[in-house]
Amino acid sequence: MYKKKSLPKIITLVAAVAMGVNSTYAQDDDDDSIRELVSRLDLESYKAVIKGLAQFGDRRQGTERNRRAVDWIEEQLQAAGCTNTERIHYVFDPEPRPPRQRSSQSDEIVDLTTSTGGKVGRNGSGPGGSSIYGYRAQTGVNRDLMAQPDERIRELNREEPVNGPRTEVYCTKIGTTRPDEMYILGAHMDGHGVNEAVNDDASGTALVMELARIFNSPDVDTEVSIRFALWNNEETGLNGSYAYVEQRKDLQGIENPPGSGKYPEPRWLGMIQHDMMLWDHGAPRADGTVSRDQRPEADVNIEFQSNSDLAEESMLLAFMFKASADKYNTDYPATVGPHMTNTDSTPFMNEVPSISLRENERGMHTGAGWNPTWHTPLDVWTTFTDEDFRLGLNAAQTTLSAIAELAGTKIK
Ligand SMILES: [Zn+2]
């Protein structure tokens, strides 16, 4: 159901950014400040964080490797200057599901040069006559340990998950003049597929951790608060981000203790999710295989959800991000689409303007088999080249510059 909301602030910002002039918050030197912040992003530093996450294998929820990864992320955030880390606690204890029929694909060692199972459709063959065009290769989760050809990675991922208590970590840059309002930047730290979960989603997790580092540099001030959240249990149904919304939605904007100037849950201004940032190699070919190379038209896909209560506000936020990408991305452009889905921004989308940044459109491209590393043994460090990592870095440039603008950022 469509609801009309008033949008003066964000319209001003979008219009200002789209026209290339300074925003409401901007001073003359703002562009220079943002450019300086963007220059603090670095490919090798971004890759190093991804590699750090890869040491915990697929970080599958409910395992020791997942718990150790949460601890490691918290240590890294603190070392980077985002010292006020906190944890969300929740229990993941779903009803057991009836055993599923195994697809023939899940038994195979997947290789880019082999067909992805022989089921390649074409033109409108998507479910329900969806907007999937071109060839469509099969996708599916691989949980077969022996499908991972690398013995070291196989050993990392041997433990099976057990239901029970879970945690996830976040930290916050506190705003100087509006500490009671914030943007939330998120990515999920859990993965699966007997791999190193490099693309899905160390690539987004490292992006958020790098932004936490840059925004928490001693010489950086923001007027508005920014929260850096690394969700757990995304892969089981967004359970970590749902737990956050459930536990904290009603605490927004409350000063606690009264008179302290402290706001444990600043009022939400926007939620920006990062999930799968590296791989834009184009559509599958007629035989279901996908190119090993980043396609020349590779881009950052910014999506909002046209069916959400806040579709209009979210769309404006998405276009504001695109304008920022046009200005600050060094290698790849950004595009906007209306089908944000299947990631941790969904629990937020009826509460606050919400968007996701990805390598591809989740519904159309990923669903049509554009990414053979998705939830398969191929999502490992050695699969990706610097061209891939650079796409993730460009998404980081987009979010860093857009949020620096929206949060009113100054270098002291
Ligand atoms: Zn993901």
Side-chain angles (χ1 to χ4, degrees):
M1 181 113 158
Y2 178 77
K3 284 191 221 155
K4 185 80 187 141
K5 297 271 165 63
S6 66
L7 314 157
K9 178 68 99 189
I10 199 160
I11 280 177
T12 311
L13 283 166
V14 171
V17 173
M19 289 185 295
V21 298
N22 288 325
S23 80
T24 325
Y25 302 108
Q27 305 298 320
D28 285 338
D29 58 354
D30 243 33
D31 276 11
D32 290 345
S33 292
I34 294 174
R35 213 163 281 286
E36 162 63 23
L37 286 181
V38 170
S39 77
R40 294 180 184 184
L41 281 167
D42 168 72
L43 187 67
E44 292 309 315
S45 175
Y46 174 57
K47 284 168 65 180
V49 182
I50 294 175
K51 189 118 204 222
L53 289 158
Q55 71 184 298
F56 304 101
D58 67 10
R59 304 179 296 285
R60 191 169 174 193
Q61 63 81 34
T63 62
E64 179 66 17
R65 62 187 183 275
N66 174 275
R67 288 186 289 276
R68 286 180 54 226
V70 177
D71 291 344
W72 183 84
I73 290 167
E74 182 164 21
E75 284 161 25
Q76 299 299 308
L77 290 171
Q78 292 186 357
C82 206
T83 52
N84 57 4
T85 54
E86 292 178 74
R87 297 253 184 141
I88 295 283
H89 299 271
Y90 59 98
V91 175
F92 182 68
D93 193 14
E95 295 289 312
R97 282 202 279 184
R100 270 200 291 186
Q101 293 273 316
R102 268 176 140 187
S103 81
S104 60
Q105 185 203 5
S106 67
D107 296 320
E108 291 170 15
I109 294 173
V110 186
D111 187 273
L112 292 176
T113 56
T114 67
S115 165
T116 53
K119 281 200 177 174
V120 182
R122 194 173 160 75
N123 241 9
S125 58
S130 75
S131 57
I132 291 173
Y133 300 99
Y135 296 109
R136 180 168 196 268
Q138 212 176 42
T139 61
V141 181
N142 195 311
R143 294 217 175 89
D144 179 0
L145 201 62
M146 293 317 290
Q148 175 52 257
D150 185 314
E151 194 184 334
R152 181 187 63 84
I153 297 171
R154 211 157 57 215
E155 286 315 304
L156 276 176
N157 293 318
R158 194 167 278 284
E159 187 195 350
E160 284 292 310
V162 177
N163 290 349
R166 304 281 186 270
T167 71
E168 63 197 2
V169 64
Y170 63 83
C171 67
T172 311
K173 168 77 175 177
I174 296 170
T176 51
T177 59
R178 291 156 64 196
D180 57 331
E181 298 181 326
M182 73 173 171
Y183 289 93
I184 302 171
L185 310 185
H188 69 89
M189 51 71 60
D190 68 308
H192 63 174
V194 195
N195 51 37
E196 295 175 308
V198 164
N199 190 48
D200 187 11
D201 183 27
S203 65
T205 301
L207 185 161
V208 172
M209 291 169 71
E210 283 290 87
L211 265 55
R213 171 177 70 78
I214 290 169
F215 277 113
N216 285 282
S217 306
D219 64 343
V220 174
D221 271 348
T222 61
E223 295 174 8
V224 173
S225 299
I226 306 168
R227 180 155 289 170
F228 307 90
L230 291 320
W231 317 116
N232 204 342
N233 279 90
E234 192 269 355
E235 300 290 7
T236 49
L238 321 180
N239 310 89
S241 48
Y242 272 114
Y244 181 96
V245 171
E246 226 165 79
Q247 292 179 26
R248 306 204 60 88
K249 180 174 86 158
D250 297 334
L251 306 176
Q252 286 180 74
I254 298 172
E255 191 182 32
N256 189 14
S260 65
K262 289 185 177 157
Y263 299 86
E265 191 65 24
R267 196 167 64 76
W268 304 344
L269 300 178
M271 196 279 159
I272 297 94
Q273 170 75 359
H274 306 82
D275 193 354
M276 300 170 70
M277 314 311 296
L278 306 181
W279 183 280
D280 193 356
H281 292 205
R285 305 173 184 117
D287 65 355
T289 62
V290 174
S291 170
R292 289 176 182 273
D293 300 318
Q294 196 72 284
R295 63 177 178 145
E297 308 84 359
D299 55 10
V300 177
N301 287 75
I302 304 166
E303 294 192 86
F304 65 98
Q305 178 46 259
S306 56
N307 292 324
S308 67
D309 289 351
L310 300 171
E312 192 176 348
E313 292 87 339
S314 300
M315 177 186 72
L316 289 170
L317 185 64
F319 276 107
M320 187 271 168
F321 266 60
K322 177 177 165 45
S324 210
D326 289 347
K327 211 161 160 185
Y328 295 104
N329 282 17
T330 51
D331 310 277
Y332 298 101
T335 52
V336 172
H339 301 307
M340 180 188 82
T341 183
N342 290 72
T343 193
D344 294 304
S345 39
T346 298
F348 290 88
M349 69 184 184
N350 295 326
E351 308 290 335
V352 61
S354 301
I355 58 175
S356 71
L357 274 66
R358 285 191 198 262
E359 62 202 8
N360 287 147
E361 291 176 43
R362 169 61 175 75
M364 194 166 85
H365 298 158
T366 312
W370 283 39
N371 188 341
T373 80
W374 183 42
H375 298 166
T376 72
L378 277 172
D379 193 356
V380 293
W381 178 259
T382 49
T383 295
F384 302 93
T385 68
D386 275 3
E387 298 308 305
D388 299 316
F389 289 118
R390 208 174 288 283
L391 184 64
L393 190 77
N394 275 248
Q397 293 167 342
T398 303
T399 297
L400 175 58
S401 56
I403 290 296
E405 177 91 28
L406 288 169
T409 307
K410 293 273 173 298
I411 298 179
K412 287 184 256 184

